[in-house]
Amino acid sequence: MTKDQLFAFAQHITPQKTLSRTIGRIAECENTWVKNTFINQFIKKYQVDMSEAVNSDPLSYRNFNDFFTRAIRSELRPICEQKNGIVCPADGAVSQLGEIEHGTLLQAKGHTYSLTSLLGGDASLSNQFLGGSFATVYLSPKDYHRVHMPLTGKLTKMIHIPGKLFSVNKVTAEQIPSVFARNERTVCIFDTEAGPMAVILVGAMIVASIETTWAGQVTPFNKNVVTWDYSELNKIEIKKGEEMGRFKLGSTAIVLFGKDAVKWEESIQAETPTKMGMHFGQIKEK
């Protein structure tokens, strides 16, 4: 068994949710010694650049989660203003991007997964994205962990899908089939000038929670899919480049568009480093 295979196997036998909830409680701890120790060790291990943060004093944060989801100086992440431009939703690196072919998305070389499964088994919803485009951005521990809107959109639906909490790094994506469609995730559907857009926040090992700007923490203790319908309510509109959600302890964001709606920037491919706000693609002219 290779080192990568052993790492994947260990995740299958790890009590994922118990570990994640335990780490989550520690990350919310406001004891000075506990939170300062964790923050200092984290900065040292991952070489976090605190000069980018609005609050550059790491020990002034209320707890580890506040530090981890720290705001970044806006001038360091200018939002692409190109006409019909799509902006990158997060700092990190592209895991994969391309076309949604035959109802599947590319996870890693040799691995694909089902669009319908990713969206919680809702065939009518997945039909809106058949033949469309997807982009998967992996946020590493050192990255800025807020997710922003690729385009201005009006929220129509939010779906929380329970699942596993496998790691979502490159090694896991290459070893564990359908990891993004197996992990706990929150699917957010928006109406945009390019048609329907999904922004999917995928949970992972030791992720304490997923939050959205309109609902706060979205982690219902429910074994079933939970859907919130916003289509009949007062429209929640979020502008391009504005924050729409965040991860506590990091993970992956997946963006979906419908058929013939967008074209990704040609220079972007798997493993391309990303910064939130950079030009990520273009709306196709009809």
Side-chain angles (χ1 to χ4, degrees):
M1 184 178 289
T2 67
K3 181 175 68 173
D4 290 351
Q5 289 172 330
L6 184 61
F7 176 68
F9 173 75
Q11 294 185 59
H12 283 282
I13 61 175
T14 298
Q16 297 173 346
K17 292 188 182 295
T18 299
L19 175 63
S20 297
R21 288 170 183 165
T22 300
I23 297 297
R25 285 193 289 269
I26 295 172
E28 288 289 339
C29 179
E30 297 182 20
N31 176 275
T32 301
W33 182 86
V34 172
K35 62 107 174 171
N36 288 354
T37 298
F38 272 80
I39 290 171
N40 280 328
Q41 289 299 315
F42 189 89
I43 290 173
K44 182 178 179 180
K45 178 176 176 61
Y46 294 107
Q47 299 182 321
V48 177
D49 182 3
M50 290 301 297
S51 69
E52 291 192 331
V54 172
N55 176 9
S56 61
D57 179 5
L59 303 187
S60 67
Y61 288 90
R62 183 171 57 90
N63 54 34
F64 181 86
N65 273 336
D66 276 1
F67 152 75
F68 192 81
T69 58
R70 61 196 174 277
I72 206 164
R73 289 159 50 202
S74 59
E75 68 269 21
L76 298 179
R77 296 295 185 274
I79 305 303
C80 169
E81 296 181 350
Q82 185 172 334
K83 183 181 179 182
N84 295 328
I86 299 164
V87 305
C88 180
D91 283 16
V94 172
S95 180
Q96 295 291 338
L97 84 168
E99 304 304 310
I100 302 170
E101 299 179 348
H102 309 295
T104 63
L105 293 78
L106 181 63
Q107 175 175 299
K109 186 177 180 179
H111 289 290
T112 60
Y113 61 102
S114 162
L115 171 65
T116 302
S117 295
L118 176 67
L119 298 176
D122 187 336
S124 63
L125 180 58
S126 65
N127 285 341
Q128 299 179 47
F129 300 101
L130 287 176
S133 304
F134 80 96
T136 305
V137 178
Y138 167 68
L139 293 75
S140 74
K142 70 178 181 180
D143 289 319
Y144 169 62
H145 277 85
R146 300 187 184 190
V147 179
H148 293 243
M149 291 287 283
L151 284 176
T152 297
K154 290 185 177 180
L155 180 69
T156 61
K157 185 179 294 187
M158 181 172 71
I159 309 164
H160 181 78
I161 305 164
K164 299 290 186 179
L165 289 173
F166 292 110
S167 170
V168 290
N169 60 20
K170 184 174 183 288
V171 171
T172 306
E174 292 173 345
Q175 295 293 326
I176 297 179
S178 302
V179 65
F180 300 128
R182 296 169 69 178
N183 272 16
E184 181 176 336
R185 55 205 180 278
T186 298
V187 177
C188 307
I189 307 296
F190 298 90
D191 278 339
T192 76
E193 60 181 308
M197 176 183 75
V199 181
I200 303 161
L201 308 178
V202 184
M205 187 81 75
I206 74 169
V207 172
S209 68
I210 294 169
E211 294 184 1
T212 64
T213 56
W214 59 88
Q217 186 167 315
V218 188
T219 50
F221 293 102
N222 196 311
K223 294 183 179 180
N224 301 312
V225 174
V226 180
T227 300
W228 293 264
D229 185 353
Y230 292 89
S231 60
E232 300 300 324
L233 302 177
N234 292 328
K235 296 291 187 181
I236 297 174
E237 182 175 84
I238 309 177
K239 301 295 185 182
K240 180 169 74 172
E242 290 184 348
E243 181 187 351
M244 57 77 59
R246 63 182 67 175
F247 293 110
K248 294 181 177 177
L249 298 177
S251 193
T252 288
I254 303 173
V255 179
L256 309 178
F257 285 101
K259 186 176 182 179
D260 296 326
V262 305
K263 180 181 180 182
W264 300 126
E265 167 63 45
E266 291 182 0
S267 64
I268 298 174
Q269 55 189 320
E271 300 187 24
T272 297
T274 64
K275 293 294 185 183
M276 187 281 292
M278 65 183 275
H279 182 255
F280 208 55
Q282 199 78 11
I283 300 172
K284 288 185 178 181
E285 294 185 6
K286 301 299 184 181

